[in-house]
Amino acid sequence: MKLAFGCDPNATELKQALIKEAERLGHEVVDFPSGDPIYANTAIAVAKSVAAGEEDRGILLCGTGIGVLSIAANKVPGAYCACVTDIYQAQRAVLSNNANLISMGAQVVGVESAKMFMDEYLSHTFDPKSRSAPKVDRINEYERGTLGTC
C-alpha cells in the first residue's frame, strides 16, 4: 500500500517512528514535510493527495490529532479522516466509515500505541456490501451534491 504521512512540528518524532514501522511492514511511503507551523497546510496537502488517488491512505499527526489536522483534512472533497485513539477506532475507521486517512496526537498516544493503531487501520479493507455501506454512501452523496431528501 502507498501511504502519505504528514505532521506538524510537534509530531515529527512520532511521524518518523510510524514511517519506519510502515516501511518495515512493506508499505511505500510518501513523507510530506513537517516544518510548516501552519499545520493545516500539511493536512490539506496530504488529504488532497490521498483524495486524488496518489496514495492509498494517509496518516496525519499533530499534538492532539483532532484539531486542525482532522478538521482541515476533512474539508478536502474525497478525504475522510478519522481521529484514532484506540484499536477499536482504528479498525472501525475503515470497516464502518471507509476512512482513507487517520489522525493521531503525539501528545495523546505513545509511540507503541500509535504503531498498533496504524497497523490495525492498515490491515482492514472496507466492504462495499457491509451494513455500513449505505451510511458511507449517504455521506458521499452529500459531498457530491446528489443527496435527495433524508
Side-chain angles (χ1 to χ4, degrees):
M1 194 178 304
K2 189 173 181 182
L3 306 175
F5 282 84
C7 72
D8 71 0
N10 293 320
T12 302
E13 288 181 35
L14 179 58
K15 180 179 83 167
Q16 292 308 317
L18 293 178
I19 285 174
K20 284 181 186 175
E21 173 71 2
E23 290 173 337
R24 184 187 72 75
L25 294 170
H27 298 289
E28 181 182 347
V29 169
V30 178
D31 184 2
F32 284 70
S34 58
D36 191 342
I38 308 299
Y39 31 81
N41 293 333
T42 302
I44 291 166
V46 170
K48 286 173 76 174
S49 189
V50 171
E54 295 171 21
E55 293 84 28
D56 301 304
R57 294 193 190 168
I59 312 293
L60 292 169
L61 308 159
C62 67
T64 64
I66 57 172
V68 200
L69 288 181
S70 187
I71 293 169
N74 282 321
K75 298 294 185 195
V76 174
Y80 307 102
C81 185
C83 186
V84 171
T85 59
D86 64 40
I87 290 285
Y88 186 69
Q89 288 176 326
Q91 178 188 82
R92 300 319 300 179
V94 177
L95 298 178
S96 293
N97 299 291
N98 198 19
N100 54 2
L101 299 112
I102 59 169
S103 64
M104 291 183 276
Q107 297 166 352
V108 177
V109 299
V111 173
E112 294 308 312
S113 293
K115 287 178 186 178
M116 287 189 304
F117 303 160
M118 181 184 72
D119 293 352
E120 184 70 18
Y121 166 68
L122 297 174
S123 71
H124 293 284
T125 303
F126 182 71
D127 179 359
K129 295 181 182 177
S130 69
R131 290 183 323 148
S132 296
K135 300 167 194 171
V136 170
D137 289 345
R138 186 58 111 187
I139 294 166
N140 294 334
E141 289 168 357
Y142 181 80
E143 182 179 65
R144 288 190 308 266
T146 59
L147 179 68
T149 59
C150 292

